[in-house]
């Protein structure tokens, strides 16, 4: 028979030692993969979240870069992604109103409940433009909270980055330093680039461009461009020949020679207008990866946008 | 000794406190410096932007002033020679007309030119008391409110389409006009624990008298642990794809025949509760279990009292029914469902489901019914779709029903009825093609059949029937649509029938997001 050790203290010490060893072992995988799982609705937020989160976060994006952010399908696989995430970065201002609510209902993830720290509303702190005075759908598909395409202004991306760093820190305080360092790096890069971009577009201040849909007011305002002519007669209403005729005549009268088109908009319509006016069609995107050469992230995308718009503006028709 | 020790300790403490304080002061300084730098940076950016704005404003003013001058000169010229001005206008109008025609041709659109142009939007102004007040809207009220109306107009070779052909409660029911679904829907967060939904449907019967029904009123839990979710109230059972959908999101103007055979005109819906579990599989899998009261016409194959005969006796399949009351859990209706979804490629999604519904019926004290169903859905949408177009989707559902009818020795038409199993089966398959923004073409094929019953071997509600329905939908916007549908109907007991239906929909208020 094995003698029973009656030394209680000794026993406890042993058990404690063993237990703590086992617990440490058990904790190891958590420590190793304690990345914050973040779902971003669109690739622009994903890119900024990636820049701020660095290797401390794992980002999943729902909408694709070439996809119309208002008309994303509420695929069941998104429910699974939302169910298993620690945080959600949403554009807000009704950008995702057509598809995100049923996904969140299905995801049953309390971390993403409205008002929870994990439910990050990127529009928070951003000054939205185009807030309708009255809610009247005879004016087309309007957004009650204002125009949600605010990420085309780098100053807003700066606000979002700051907001994300705060939100990530609240969710994962032990990586606070990393988030701060990443934020600093990102904003410094952005500020440096910003000066460059403003210089590039400064010669064209006050010039007018045409867009397919009213999703570029922030970009235009930031870089001093005029933008109030659209191929759509009203938001969400497809272009009609009569409206396009009016656009063409205005373009000719005001010597407007640049039309910007997102990947999910009908390029054929823009090309038709361009053919009738001698204008240049510029492929633009609000999302990194939406146009070739923008895959590397938010700053390279803005770089592409500013350069291609500046180039088109520099070419006299 | 003691006192000196005390002094020693306290001085040590004081020192450490001072040190700590010093450390704090250092951090404070760093933070203050950072804050100062950030503030300065912020001020600088603001100043720069303000300068840009000012210079732009100045330039704008200058340009505007120049333009005004030019216009004044032009106006003066115009006063001198008025015909020139009107000629210019006429030239401009003619030019616009010419361009419109040319663009219509170039773009290959079939949109009517000038008439299709919506009226110019009024300028965005601040709210004034004369303007209508928005009662509710997402984010600014406690609930979303919407009002959705479906109107139908059409013709059928059957003189009374609702008697044999159009068996769904929201289908067009007669030649000419019908309005079978004006739906008031509300939803919102109840509190941190529940979301609430309500659907009140108003509809006009054949005499255009208004009927009202509480279609759905339920709450859904938002914070249950272990991926569970609870639903309670009156709701459409999670059986297959179309049963829980409201008519506004259907792809055709009418309910598939097999659904009306298994679940009656209104679909399977009842008071009860449902628990669902998001299964932790790598792909989406969800299992549901609905537990329903199952009494009444909205639980058609279950505790349905049926319709009264000439003597006022309620009958189902010829058998007199009686309220068997609830003796225990076996008298409830159970609706299990499992559904999975896979991303085949980046642009293709598949959804598979299997459902069942089990419960008692009221033809006898121990009689029971079962409904089984399988469903599949596939959708293709390219990643550069414009407003969700183009797309192609396929949807199919197949159902099998066993209605265990009890014997009714007292029945007089056609005579005493034996106990027997009434079996019905069938399917529908539909393909949708969103071929152009706002345009969807659809084709649906259906087949149903049932075994011969002792009550009526020629029961038009149970015999073989085939229906083929092409349709075309045009969405004016997300909030209104018009749909044209043709039905070719051929059945063992109804012969060959043709129907054409035109449906118009409008939606006011918060547009609820669509489920996949």
């Amino acid at each position: 028979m094995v003698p029973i050790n009656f030394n209680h203290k000794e026993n406890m010490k042993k058990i404690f030692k063993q237990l703590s060893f086992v617990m440490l072992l058990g904790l190891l995988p958590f420590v190793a993969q304690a990345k914050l799982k973040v779902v971003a609705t669109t690739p622009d937020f994903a890119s900024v979240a990636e820049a701020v989160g660095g290797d401390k976060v794992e980002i999943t994006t729902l909408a694709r870069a070439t996809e119309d952010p208002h008309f994303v399908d509420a695929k069941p696989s998104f429910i699974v992604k939302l169910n298993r995430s620690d945080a959600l970065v949403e554009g807000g201002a009704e950008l995702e109103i057509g598809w995100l609510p049923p996904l969140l209902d299905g995801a049953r993830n309390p971390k993403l409940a409205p008002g929870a720290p994990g439910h990050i509303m990127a529009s928070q702190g951003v000054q939205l433009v185009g807030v309708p005075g009255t809610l009247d759908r005879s004016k087309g598909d309007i957004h009650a909270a204002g125009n949600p395409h605010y990420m085309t202004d780098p100053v807003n991306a700066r606000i979002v980055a700051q907001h994300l760093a705060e939100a990530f820190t609240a969710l994962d305080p032990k990586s606070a330093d990393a988030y701060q360092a990443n934020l600093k790096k990102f904003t410094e890069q952005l500020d440096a680039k910003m000066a460059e971009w403003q210089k590039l577009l400064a010669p064209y201040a006050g010039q007018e461009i045409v867009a397919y849909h009213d999703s570029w007011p922030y970009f235009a305002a930031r870089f001093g461009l005029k933008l109030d002519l659209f191929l759509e007669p009203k938001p969400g209403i497809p272009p009609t020949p009569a409206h396009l005729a009016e656009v063409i005549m205005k373009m000719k009268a005001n010597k407007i020679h640049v039309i910007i088109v997102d990947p999910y908009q009908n390029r054929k319509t823009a090309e038709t207008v361009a053919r009738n006016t001698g204008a240049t069609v510029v492929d633009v995107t609000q999302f990194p990866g939406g146009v070739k050469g923008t895959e590397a992230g938010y700053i390279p995308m803005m770089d592409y946008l500013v350069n291609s718009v500046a180039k088109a503006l520099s070419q006299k028709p | 000794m003691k006192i000196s020790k005390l002094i020693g300790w306290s001085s040590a403490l004081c020192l450490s406190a001072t040190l700590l304080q010093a450390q704090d002061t250092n951090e404070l300084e760093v933070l203050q410096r950072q804050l100062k730098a950030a503030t300065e940076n912020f001020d600088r950016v603001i100043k720069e932007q303000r300068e840009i704005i000012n210079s732009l404003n100045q330039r704008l003013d200058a340009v505007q002033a120049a333009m005004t001058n030019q216009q004044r000169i032009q106006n003066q010229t115009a006063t001198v020679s008025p015909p020139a001005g009107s000629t210019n206008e006429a030239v401009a109008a003619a030019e616009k007309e010419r361009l419109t025609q040319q663009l219509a041709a170039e773009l290959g659109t079939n949109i009517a030119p000038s008439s299709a142009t919506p009226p110019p939007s009024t300028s965005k102004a601040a709210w004034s008391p004369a303007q209508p007040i928005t009662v509710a809207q997402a984010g600014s009220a406690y609930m979303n409110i919407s009002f959705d109306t479906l109107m139908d107009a059409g013709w059928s070779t059957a003189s009374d389409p609702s008697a044999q052909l159009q068996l769904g409660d929201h289908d067009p029911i007669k030649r000419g006009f019908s309005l079978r679904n004006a739906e008031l829907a509300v939803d919102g967060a109840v509190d941190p624990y529940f979301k609430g939904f309500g659907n009140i449907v108003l509809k006009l019967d054949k005499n255009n008298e208004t009927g009202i029904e509480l279609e759905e009123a339920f709450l859904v839990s938002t914070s249950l642990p272990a991926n569970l979710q609870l639903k309670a109230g009156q709701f459409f059972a999670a059986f297959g794809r179309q049963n829980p959908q409201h008519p506004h999101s259907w792809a055709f103007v009418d309910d598939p025949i097999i659904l009306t055979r298994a679940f009656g005109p209104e679909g399977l819906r009842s008071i009860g509760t449902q628990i669902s579990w998001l299964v932790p599989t790598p792909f989406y899998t969800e299992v549901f279990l609905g537990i329903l009261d199952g009494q009444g016409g909205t639980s058609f194959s279950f505790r349905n009292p049926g319709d009264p005969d000439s003597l006022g006796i309620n009958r189902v399949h010829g058998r007199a029914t009686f309220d068997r009351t609830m003796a225990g859990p076996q008298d409830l209706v159970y609706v299990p469902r499992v559904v999975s979804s896979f991303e085949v490629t980046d642009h293709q999604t598949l959804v598979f489901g299997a459902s069942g519904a089990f419960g008692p019926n009221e033809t006898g004290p121990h009689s029971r019914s079962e409904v089984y169903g399988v469903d599949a859905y596939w959708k293709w949408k390219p990643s550069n779709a414009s407003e969700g177009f183009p797309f192609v989707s396929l949807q199919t559902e197949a159902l099998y029903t066993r209605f265990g009818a009890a014997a009714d020795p007292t029945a007089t038409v056609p005579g005493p009825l034996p106990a027997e199993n009434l079996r019905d089966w069938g399917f529908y398959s539909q393909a949708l093609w969103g071929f152009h923004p706002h345009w969807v073409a659809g084709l649906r094929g259906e087949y149903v059949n049932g075994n011969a019953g002792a009550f009526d071997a020629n029961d038009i509600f149970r015999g073989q029937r085939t229906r083929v329905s092409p349709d075309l939908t045009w969405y004016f916007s997300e909030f209104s649509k018009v749909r044209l549908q043709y039905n070719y109907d051929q059945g063992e007991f109804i012969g060959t029938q043709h129907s054409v239906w035109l449906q118009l929909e409008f939606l006011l208020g918060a547009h609820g997001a669509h489920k996949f």
Side-chain angles (χ1 to χ4, degrees):
Chain A
M1 248 191 98
V2 183
I4 298 164
N5 190 346
F6 283 102
N7 188 337
H8 186 69
K9 226 176 176 179
E10 200 67 14
N11 254 352
M12 282 305 286
K13 246 185 192 170
K14 227 182 194 169
I15 288 170
F16 184 74
K17 254 186 187 168
Q18 283 168 344
L19 258 183
S20 46
F21 183 69
V22 168
M23 271 169 70
L24 272 176
L25 263 183
L27 273 175
L28 260 177
F30 290 98
V31 174
Q33 49 155 275
K35 280 193 181 186
L36 198 64
K37 285 188 193 150
V38 179
V39 171
T41 54
T42 52
D44 47 348
F45 301 122
S47 172
V48 176
E50 189 104 57
V52 173
D55 57 359
K56 305 290 177 199
V57 299
E58 191 188 309
I59 313 265
T60 309
T61 316
L62 299 183
R64 288 170 300 227
T66 52
E67 203 166 12
D68 188 336
H70 294 302
F71 295 89
V72 176
D73 279 333
K75 293 183 196 176
S77 60
F78 292 170
I79 293 178
V80 177
K81 286 172 179 164
L82 288 165
N83 174 259
R84 290 162 204 181
S85 71
D86 300 311
L88 165 70
V89 185
E90 179 191 350
E94 300 188 353
L95 181 73
E96 303 95 341
I97 196 167
W99 51 281
L100 191 59
L103 292 175
L104 279 174
D105 286 350
R108 55 200 83 179
N109 184 346
K111 290 178 190 166
L112 311 185
H119 192 138
I120 306 164
M121 200 62 95
S123 59
Q124 201 183 308
V126 174
Q127 183 69 47
L128 297 179
V129 303
V131 181
T134 55
L135 294 180
D136 177 358
R137 282 190 186 140
S138 70
K139 293 170 188 167
D141 193 2
I142 53 167
H143 294 291
N147 192 308
H149 307 278
Y150 50 84
M151 285 292 275
T152 54
D153 176 0
V155 172
N156 288 338
R158 203 177 192 278
I159 296 170
V160 170
Q162 174 87 40
H163 182 188
L164 289 181
E166 282 163 19
F168 290 169
T169 304
L171 292 165
D172 174 25
K174 66 180 190 319
S175 307
D177 294 342
Y179 297 138
Q180 275 311 314
N182 292 339
L183 174 67
K184 191 164 171 274
K185 198 175 143 209
F186 178 75
T187 41
E188 275 172 7
Q189 271 177 9
L190 194 66
D191 290 349
K193 275 286 181 186
M194 185 68 185
E196 198 181 297
W197 294 331
Q198 283 188 314
K199 216 168 121 192
L200 259 168
L201 281 172
Y204 313 106
Q207 283 212 28
E208 195 166 353
I209 57 171
V210 173
Y212 188 97
H213 175 84
D214 188 12
S215 40
W216 294 86
Y218 297 91
F219 180 84
R222 176 56 58 204
F223 297 107
L225 301 173
K226 203 174 150 200
L227 177 64
D228 45 28
L229 206 51
F230 307 102
L231 301 189
E232 282 182 339
K234 285 171 185 196
I237 306 293
T240 58
H243 174 75
L244 292 179
E246 246 178 67
V247 171
I248 289 174
M249 290 174 75
K250 277 187 194 158
M251 283 177 75
K252 282 179 176 167
N254 300 335
K255 303 204 167 20
I256 308 169
H257 63 279
V258 174
I259 305 170
I260 57 173
V261 181
D262 284 85
Y264 51 84
Q265 289 159 350
N266 192 342
R267 200 178 198 278
K268 205 180 135 200
T269 311
E271 280 164 4
T272 306
V273 173
R275 212 171 27 247
N276 282 283
T277 52
T280 317
V281 178
V282 181
D283 291 299
V284 292
T285 180
Q286 306 162 46
F287 308 112
V291 173
K292 211 163 170 282
T294 60
E295 296 82 359
Y298 180 80
I299 293 176
M301 177 192 80
M302 285 309 303
D303 224 18
Y304 165 87
L305 287 176
V306 169
N307 278 294
S308 45
V309 170
K311 194 179 154 213
L313 283 168
S314 72
Q315 292 165 343
K316 286 286 161 202
Chain B
M1 264 313 268
K2 244 183 175 177
I3 288 170
S4 67
K5 211 175 180 181
L6 197 73
I7 290 169
W9 271 114
S10 52
S11 51
L13 265 174
C14 277
L15 194 66
S16 61
T18 326
L19 276 172
L20 274 173
Q21 215 168 6
Q23 213 172 352
D24 279 347
T25 319
N26 279 341
E27 204 183 333
L28 190 73
E29 269 172 18
V30 169
L31 280 173
Q32 275 171 341
R33 223 178 303 134
Q34 280 177 347
L35 182 68
K36 198 168 165 241
T39 316
E40 277 169 5
N41 194 30
F42 178 70
D43 288 342
R44 186 176 53 78
V45 171
I46 291 271
K47 204 176 148 216
E48 279 171 13
Q49 293 302 324
R50 198 168 288 147
E51 275 164 12
I52 291 173
I53 290 167
N54 284 343
S55 81
L56 283 175
N57 271 337
Q58 279 165 8
R59 282 170 68 175
L60 190 71
D61 287 345
V63 171
Q64 270 172 347
M67 274 168 72
T68 325
N69 279 337
Q70 213 173 355
Q71 213 163 17
R72 204 178 296 141
I73 294 160
Q74 270 175 356
N75 284 349
Q76 281 165 357
T77 328
T79 359
V80 179
S81 53
S86 53
T87 317
N88 275 345
E89 267 168 44
V91 168
E95 170 70 5
K96 192 187 161 190
E97 191 54 31
R98 189 193 63 74
L99 264 174
T100 306
Q101 299 297 344
Q102 183 197 332
L103 287 166
E106 276 183 46
L107 291 167
T109 49
N110 42 1
I111 303 159
S114 23
S115 58
T117 315
S121 57
T122 45
S123 62
K124 284 164 188 167
W127 185 83
S128 86
Q131 285 163 346
I133 295 166
T134 309
V135 176
Q137 154 228 335
S140 72
Y142 291 118
M143 62 181 179
N144 301 318
I145 297 180
S146 73
F147 182 70
D148 180 72
T149 298
L150 292 166
M151 293 165 273
D152 305 287
W155 194 265
S156 175
T157 49
S159 57
D160 182 2
S162 72
Q164 329 180 313
L165 303 183
Q166 304 298 144
L167 304 178
D169 197 46
H170 304 291
D171 293 6
I173 50 167
K174 55 180 188 175
R175 289 174 172 175
F177 295 95
S178 30
L179 194 161
R180 297 295 297 161
N181 195 76
E183 177 180 307
L184 189 69
V186 293
D187 76 271
V190 177
D191 54 28
Y193 313 105
F194 298 107
K195 284 186 92 167
F197 297 83
N199 264 82
I200 293 156
V201 173
L202 299 157
K203 56 196 176 187
L204 301 183
D205 66 11
K206 278 185 204 167
N207 296 317
N208 295 330
E209 295 291 338
T210 306
I212 183 166
E213 68 188 19
L214 180 64
E215 196 165 62
E216 291 195 291
F218 62 89
L219 51 76
V220 173
S221 74
T222 55
S223 53
L224 277 191
N227 286 343
L228 294 171
Q229 194 165 63
L230 190 84
K231 196 170 180 174
Q234 158 103 333
F235 56 87
F236 280 109
F239 189 109
R241 285 194 65 84
Q242 178 142 339
N243 186 64
Q245 284 177 357
H246 289 257
H248 135 87
S249 39
W250 293 357
F252 294 84
V253 304
D254 40 24
D255 213 5
I257 308 165
I258 187 60
L259 293 188
T260 62
R261 290 204 173 175
F263 300 131
E266 309 211 41
L268 179 57
R269 94 183 131 80
S270 189
I271 321 161
T273 181
Q274 173 186 292
I275 187 98
S276 64
W277 179 43
L278 189 63
V279 186
T281 44
F283 48 88
Y284 166 82
T285 302
E286 192 168 353
V287 293
F288 302 78
L289 179 65
I291 302 169
L292 306 178
D293 179 69
Q295 190 164 22
T298 61
S299 300
F300 190 74
S301 293
F302 302 99
R303 293 182 60 203
N304 175 15
D307 299 315
D309 63 8
S310 54
L311 301 170
I313 300 168
N314 284 333
R315 290 184 183 277
V316 166
H317 296 305
R319 279 90 176 163
T321 56
F322 67 100
D323 182 0
R324 54 192 269 176
T325 70
M326 196 161 293
Q330 73 275 13
D331 287 334
L332 293 162
V333 174
Y334 295 89
V335 186
R337 172 167 170 79
V338 57
V339 58
S340 282
S341 173
F342 308 91
E343 301 296 329
V344 186
T345 69
D346 221 16
H347 311 119
Q348 293 179 55
T349 307
L350 259 176
V351 184
F352 291 110
S355 320
F358 310 96
N361 70 58
E362 303 219 296
T363 57
H366 306 293
S367 49
R368 297 190 68 81
S369 305
E370 293 106 41
V371 185
Y372 301 89
V374 287
D375 55 275
Y377 179 70
W378 170 86
K379 184 173 180 180
W380 166 83
K381 196 179 98 174
S383 48
N384 61 347
S386 174
E387 295 183 52
F389 294 88
F391 71 87
V392 176
S393 74
L394 298 173
Q395 175 170 319
T396 191
E397 282 189 68
L399 276 81
Y400 166 81
T401 304
R402 183 194 75 90
F403 186 92
D408 185 356
T410 65
T412 51
V413 183
L417 291 168
E420 63 179 335
N421 282 323
L422 300 172
R423 303 176 197 277
D424 288 273
W425 59 91
F427 74 92
Y428 76 90
S429 291
Q430 65 190 38
L432 301 181
W433 178 30
F435 57 95
H436 192 269
H438 297 217
W439 286 91
V440 181
L443 179 64
R444 182 183 63 190
E446 295 175 82
Y447 172 82
V448 289
N449 209 343
N451 66 345
F455 156 62
D456 181 2
N458 301 330
D459 188 349
I460 55 159
F461 299 114
R462 298 202 51 242
Q464 177 268 322
R465 188 176 159 193
T466 308
R467 185 164 73 181
V468 179
S469 320
D471 79 344
L472 183 67
T473 309
W474 183 36
Y475 293 85
F476 294 93
S477 72
E478 276 187 274
F479 312 102
S480 64
K481 71 166 185 244
V482 61
R483 169 172 292 159
L484 183 64
Q485 179 176 328
Y486 163 70
N487 284 351
Y488 168 83
D489 239 310
Q490 192 279 322
E492 221 180 324
F493 308 121
I494 59 169
T496 300
Q497 307 283 357
H498 308 271
S499 315
V500 175
W501 304 112
L502 187 74
Q503 185 173 62
L504 184 66
E505 180 194 5
F506 72 86
L507 185 144
L508 291 172
H511 179 45
H514 284 170
K515 288 189 173 176
F516 191 72

